[in-house]
mmCIF file of all heavy atoms in Angstrom:
data_model
loop_
_atom_site.group_PDB
_atom_site.id
_atom_site.type_symbol
_atom_site.label_atom_id
_atom_site.label_comp_id
_atom_site.label_asym_id
_atom_site.label_seq_id
_atom_site.Cartn_x
_atom_site.Cartn_y
_atom_site.Cartn_z
ATOM 1 N N THR A 678 139.065 97.160 73.573
ATOM 2 C CA THR A 678 140.134 97.847 72.847
ATOM 3 C C THR A 678 141.170 96.858 72.312
ATOM 4 O O THR A 678 141.790 97.113 71.270
ATOM 5 C CB THR A 678 140.822 98.887 73.741
ATOM 6 O OG1 THR A 678 141.165 98.292 74.998
ATOM 7 C CG2 THR A 678 139.896 100.062 74.005
ATOM 8 N N LEU A 679 141.360 95.734 72.996
ATOM 9 C CA LEU A 679 142.276 94.708 72.491
ATOM 10 C C LEU A 679 141.730 94.103 71.197
ATOM 11 O O LEU A 679 142.487 93.850 70.247
ATOM 12 C CB LEU A 679 142.479 93.620 73.540
ATOM 13 C CG LEU A 679 143.589 92.595 73.258
ATOM 14 C CD1 LEU A 679 144.923 93.299 73.077
ATOM 15 C CD2 LEU A 679 143.672 91.590 74.396
ATOM 16 N N LEU A 680 140.426 93.891 71.144
ATOM 17 C CA LEU A 680 139.814 93.387 69.914
ATOM 18 C C LEU A 680 139.977 94.394 68.775
ATOM 19 O O LEU A 680 140.251 94.019 67.632
ATOM 20 C CB LEU A 680 138.331 93.094 70.146
ATOM 21 C CG LEU A 680 138.000 91.913 71.058
ATOM 22 C CD1 LEU A 680 136.487 91.788 71.220
ATOM 23 C CD2 LEU A 680 138.570 90.618 70.517
ATOM 24 N N ALA A 681 139.801 95.676 69.097
ATOM 25 C CA ALA A 681 139.988 96.709 68.069
ATOM 26 C C ALA A 681 141.426 96.736 67.582
ATOM 27 O O ALA A 681 141.692 96.874 66.382
ATOM 28 C CB ALA A 681 139.581 98.075 68.626
ATOM 29 N N GLY A 682 142.371 96.582 68.511
ATOM 30 C CA GLY A 682 143.775 96.541 68.124
ATOM 31 C C GLY A 682 144.101 95.348 67.256
ATOM 32 O O GLY A 682 144.879 95.452 66.303
ATOM 33 N N ALA A 683 143.500 94.207 67.571
ATOM 34 C CA ALA A 683 143.717 93.008 66.762
ATOM 35 C C ALA A 683 143.226 93.212 65.337
ATOM 36 O O ALA A 683 143.835 92.726 64.373
ATOM 37 C CB ALA A 683 143.015 91.810 67.399
ATOM 38 N N THR A 684 142.122 93.961 65.193
ATOM 39 C CA THR A 684 141.602 94.260 63.853
ATOM 40 C C THR A 684 142.618 95.077 63.059
ATOM 41 O O THR A 684 142.847 94.810 61.867
ATOM 42 C CB THR A 684 140.285 95.027 63.942
ATOM 43 O OG1 THR A 684 139.401 94.372 64.847
ATOM 44 C CG2 THR A 684 139.608 95.118 62.577
ATOM 45 N N GLY A 685 143.229 96.058 63.707
ATOM 46 C CA GLY A 685 144.225 96.890 63.032
ATOM 47 C C GLY A 685 145.451 96.103 62.614
ATOM 48 O O GLY A 685 145.978 96.281 61.502
ATOM 49 N N ILE A 686 145.916 95.210 63.487
ATOM 50 C CA ILE A 686 147.063 94.369 63.135
ATOM 51 C C ILE A 686 146.704 93.465 61.958
ATOM 52 O O ILE A 686 147.500 93.277 61.028
ATOM 53 C CB ILE A 686 147.497 93.522 64.341
ATOM 54 C CG1 ILE A 686 148.003 94.431 65.478
ATOM 55 C CG2 ILE A 686 148.578 92.525 63.927
ATOM 56 C CD1 ILE A 686 149.237 95.223 65.149
ATOM 57 N N GLY A 687 145.496 92.908 61.992
ATOM 58 C CA GLY A 687 145.052 92.046 60.901
ATOM 59 C C GLY A 687 144.992 92.796 59.579
ATOM 60 O O GLY A 687 145.351 92.254 58.521
ATOM 61 N N TYR A 688 144.547 94.046 59.635
ATOM 62 C CA TYR A 688 144.493 94.867 58.421
ATOM 63 C C TYR A 688 145.892 95.028 57.824
ATOM 64 O O TYR A 688 146.074 94.897 56.606
ATOM 65 C CB TYR A 688 143.894 96.231 58.741
ATOM 66 C CG TYR A 688 143.836 97.160 57.553
ATOM 67 C CD1 TYR A 688 142.731 97.182 56.709
ATOM 68 C CD2 TYR A 688 144.906 98.014 57.263
ATOM 69 C CE1 TYR A 688 142.680 98.021 55.615
ATOM 70 C CE2 TYR A 688 144.863 98.851 56.173
ATOM 71 C CZ TYR A 688 143.750 98.856 55.347
ATOM 72 O OH TYR A 688 143.725 99.685 54.264
ATOM 73 N N ALA A 689 146.864 95.305 58.687
ATOM 74 C CA ALA A 689 148.233 95.473 58.203
ATOM 75 C C ALA A 689 148.756 94.169 57.594
ATOM 76 O O ALA A 689 149.409 94.180 56.540
ATOM 77 C CB ALA A 689 149.137 95.925 59.349
ATOM 78 N N VAL A 690 148.467 93.048 58.235
ATOM 79 C CA VAL A 690 148.907 91.751 57.713
ATOM 80 C C VAL A 690 148.231 91.452 56.379
ATOM 81 O O VAL A 690 148.887 91.049 55.404
ATOM 82 C CB VAL A 690 148.606 90.632 58.727
ATOM 83 C CG1 VAL A 690 148.855 89.253 58.108
ATOM 84 C CG2 VAL A 690 149.454 90.809 59.986
ATOM 85 N N GLY A 691 146.923 91.653 56.332
ATOM 86 C CA GLY A 691 146.174 91.355 55.115
ATOM 87 C C GLY A 691 146.611 92.191 53.932
ATOM 88 O O GLY A 691 146.827 91.669 52.829
ATOM 89 N N SER A 692 146.783 93.501 54.165
ATOM 90 C CA SER A 692 147.187 94.369 53.066
ATOM 91 C C SER A 692 148.617 94.070 52.629
ATOM 92 O O SER A 692 148.937 94.126 51.434
ATOM 93 C CB SER A 692 147.041 95.836 53.468
ATOM 94 O OG SER A 692 147.824 96.129 54.614
ATOM 95 N N GLY A 693 149.487 93.717 53.589
ATOM 96 C CA GLY A 693 150.875 93.412 53.250
ATOM 97 C C GLY A 693 151.006 92.141 52.429
ATOM 98 O O GLY A 693 151.668 92.117 51.385
ATOM 99 N N VAL A 694 150.361 91.064 52.901
ATOM 100 C CA VAL A 694 150.432 89.788 52.183
ATOM 101 C C VAL A 694 149.754 89.899 50.825
ATOM 102 O O VAL A 694 150.286 89.459 49.798
ATOM 103 C CB VAL A 694 149.801 88.666 53.023
ATOM 104 C CG1 VAL A 694 149.720 87.366 52.213
ATOM 105 C CG2 VAL A 694 150.600 88.439 54.303
ATOM 106 N N ALA A 695 148.568 90.488 50.803
ATOM 107 C CA ALA A 695 147.838 90.623 49.543
ATOM 108 C C ALA A 695 148.589 91.522 48.567
ATOM 109 O O ALA A 695 148.556 91.291 47.344
ATOM 110 C CB ALA A 695 146.444 91.181 49.807
ATOM 111 N N GLY A 696 149.279 92.544 49.087
ATOM 112 C CA GLY A 696 150.041 93.429 48.222
ATOM 113 C C GLY A 696 151.168 92.701 47.510
ATOM 114 O O GLY A 696 151.400 92.897 46.312
ATOM 115 N N ARG A 697 151.864 91.846 48.242
ATOM 116 C CA ARG A 697 152.941 91.067 47.622
ATOM 117 C C ARG A 697 152.392 90.127 46.552
ATOM 118 O O ARG A 697 152.976 89.982 45.465
ATOM 119 C CB ARG A 697 153.691 90.275 48.690
ATOM 120 C CG ARG A 697 154.569 91.133 49.594
ATOM 121 C CD ARG A 697 155.351 90.289 50.580
ATOM 122 N NE ARG A 697 156.245 91.102 51.376
ATOM 123 C CZ ARG A 697 157.482 91.443 51.029
ATOM 124 N NH1 ARG A 697 157.953 91.030 49.845
ATOM 125 N NH2 ARG A 697 158.243 92.173 51.814
ATOM 126 N N LEU A 698 151.284 89.489 46.859
ATOM 127 C CA LEU A 698 150.688 88.567 45.894
ATOM 128 C C LEU A 698 150.140 89.314 44.681
ATOM 129 O O LEU A 698 150.201 88.824 43.555
ATOM 130 C CB LEU A 698 149.587 87.752 46.562
ATOM 131 C CG LEU A 698 150.058 86.764 47.645
ATOM 132 C CD1 LEU A 698 148.862 86.069 48.284
ATOM 133 C CD2 LEU A 698 151.020 85.746 47.062
ATOM 134 N N ALA A 699 149.596 90.513 44.908
ATOM 135 C CA ALA A 699 149.078 91.309 43.792
ATOM 136 C C ALA A 699 150.203 91.725 42.848
ATOM 137 O O ALA A 699 150.014 91.790 41.632
ATOM 138 C CB ALA A 699 148.347 92.536 44.320
ATOM 139 N N ASP A 700 151.379 92.006 43.407
ATOM 140 C CA ASP A 700 152.531 92.352 42.569
ATOM 141 C C ASP A 700 152.912 91.186 41.662
ATOM 142 O O ASP A 700 153.374 91.386 40.534
ATOM 143 C CB ASP A 700 153.731 92.730 43.436
ATOM 144 C CG ASP A 700 153.568 94.100 44.084
ATOM 145 O OD1 ASP A 700 152.779 94.909 43.562
ATOM 146 O OD2 ASP A 700 154.223 94.346 45.112
ATOM 147 N N LEU A 701 152.694 89.969 42.146
ATOM 148 C CA LEU A 701 153.067 88.788 41.372
ATOM 149 C C LEU A 701 151.991 88.357 40.381
ATOM 150 O O LEU A 701 152.308 87.919 39.269
ATOM 151 C CB LEU A 701 153.368 87.620 42.326
ATOM 152 C CG LEU A 701 154.564 87.814 43.276
ATOM 153 C CD1 LEU A 701 154.638 86.654 44.262
ATOM 154 C CD2 LEU A 701 155.862 87.934 42.489
ATOM 155 N N GLY A 702 150.731 88.475 40.772
ATOM 156 C CA GLY A 702 149.681 87.913 39.918
ATOM 157 C C GLY A 702 148.412 88.716 39.778
ATOM 158 O O GLY A 702 147.409 88.201 39.279
ATOM 159 N N GLY A 703 148.380 89.969 40.258
ATOM 160 C CA GLY A 703 147.190 90.781 40.080
ATOM 161 C C GLY A 703 146.180 90.632 41.201
ATOM 162 O O GLY A 703 146.503 90.173 42.304
ATOM 163 N N HIS A 704 144.926 90.983 40.911
ATOM 164 C CA HIS A 704 143.916 91.073 41.959
ATOM 165 C C HIS A 704 143.452 89.724 42.499
ATOM 166 O O HIS A 704 143.082 89.617 43.663
ATOM 167 C CB HIS A 704 142.707 91.868 41.443
ATOM 168 C CG HIS A 704 141.964 91.190 40.332
ATOM 169 N ND1 HIS A 704 142.383 91.233 39.022
ATOM 170 C CD2 HIS A 704 140.822 90.440 40.333
ATOM 171 C CE1 HIS A 704 141.535 90.559 38.271
ATOM 172 N NE2 HIS A 704 140.577 90.074 39.034
ATOM 173 N N ARG A 705 143.441 88.680 41.678
ATOM 174 C CA ARG A 705 142.897 87.398 42.153
ATOM 175 C C ARG A 705 143.708 86.784 43.297
ATOM 176 O O ARG A 705 143.117 86.307 44.283
ATOM 177 C CB ARG A 705 142.748 86.429 40.980
ATOM 178 C CG ARG A 705 141.550 86.750 40.096
ATOM 179 C CD ARG A 705 141.225 85.633 39.126
ATOM 180 N NE ARG A 705 139.992 85.937 38.404
ATOM 181 C CZ ARG A 705 139.931 86.630 37.274
ATOM 182 N NH1 ARG A 705 141.062 87.084 36.735
ATOM 183 N NH2 ARG A 705 138.777 86.876 36.692
ATOM 184 N N PRO A 706 145.045 86.749 43.226
ATOM 185 C CA PRO A 706 145.790 86.253 44.394
ATOM 186 C C PRO A 706 145.546 87.083 45.656
ATOM 187 O O PRO A 706 145.524 86.536 46.759
ATOM 188 C CB PRO A 706 147.251 86.344 43.932
ATOM 189 C CG PRO A 706 147.194 86.286 42.450
ATOM 190 C CD PRO A 706 145.935 87.007 42.075
ATOM 191 N N ALA A 707 145.343 88.393 45.470
ATOM 192 C CA ALA A 707 145.048 89.236 46.631
ATOM 193 C C ALA A 707 143.701 88.856 47.235
ATOM 194 O O ALA A 707 143.561 88.729 48.460
ATOM 195 C CB ALA A 707 145.047 90.708 46.225
ATOM 196 N N PHE A 708 142.698 88.660 46.381
ATOM 197 C CA PHE A 708 141.386 88.255 46.875
ATOM 198 C C PHE A 708 141.415 86.842 47.476
ATOM 199 O O PHE A 708 140.589 86.505 48.319
ATOM 200 C CB PHE A 708 140.352 88.328 45.752
ATOM 201 C CG PHE A 708 139.918 89.725 45.415
ATOM 202 C CD1 PHE A 708 139.670 90.090 44.095
ATOM 203 C CD2 PHE A 708 139.758 90.681 46.401
ATOM 204 C CE1 PHE A 708 139.256 91.377 43.769
ATOM 205 C CE2 PHE A 708 139.348 91.978 46.093
ATOM 206 C CZ PHE A 708 139.099 92.325 44.778
ATOM 207 N N ALA A 709 142.358 86.027 47.026
ATOM 208 C CA ALA A 709 142.491 84.690 47.613
ATOM 209 C C ALA A 709 142.850 84.776 49.093
ATOM 210 O O ALA A 709 142.480 83.891 49.892
ATOM 211 C CB ALA A 709 143.548 83.886 46.858
ATOM 212 N N VAL A 710 143.562 85.842 49.482
ATOM 213 C CA VAL A 710 143.867 86.050 50.900
ATOM 214 C C VAL A 710 142.578 86.303 51.678
ATOM 215 O O VAL A 710 142.400 85.807 52.801
ATOM 216 C CB VAL A 710 144.847 87.236 51.070
ATOM 217 C CG1 VAL A 710 145.113 87.503 52.548
ATOM 218 C CG2 VAL A 710 146.152 86.948 50.332
ATOM 219 N N THR A 711 141.652 87.052 51.092
ATOM 220 C CA THR A 711 140.349 87.299 51.721
ATOM 221 C C THR A 711 139.608 85.995 51.968
ATOM 222 O O THR A 711 139.115 85.733 53.075
ATOM 223 C CB THR A 711 139.487 88.214 50.827
ATOM 224 O OG1 THR A 711 140.146 89.460 50.643
ATOM 225 C CG2 THR A 711 138.130 88.453 51.458
ATOM 226 N N VAL A 712 139.524 85.166 50.947
ATOM 227 C CA VAL A 712 138.787 83.899 51.051
ATOM 228 C C VAL A 712 139.462 82.965 52.049
ATOM 229 O O VAL A 712 138.793 82.285 52.849
ATOM 230 C CB VAL A 712 138.675 83.224 49.668
ATOM 231 C CG1 VAL A 712 137.921 81.909 49.774
ATOM 232 C CG2 VAL A 712 137.978 84.155 48.676
#
């Protein structure tokens, strides 16, 4: 369950950071977070 919780926290971090970058430069900076 700790691993599952870590996945949820990571999702929130990823969507938050990528969202800010997407506001600045579109989809490619967001996908750069994935890579």
Side-chain angles (χ1 to χ4, degrees):
T678 49
L679 190 58
L680 291 178
T684 311
I686 296 296
Y688 178 89
V690 171
S692 58
V694 173
R697 288 183 176 273
L698 293 177
D700 287 338
L701 297 173
H704 66 279
R705 284 193 174 88
F708 284 142
V710 177
T711 300
V712 180

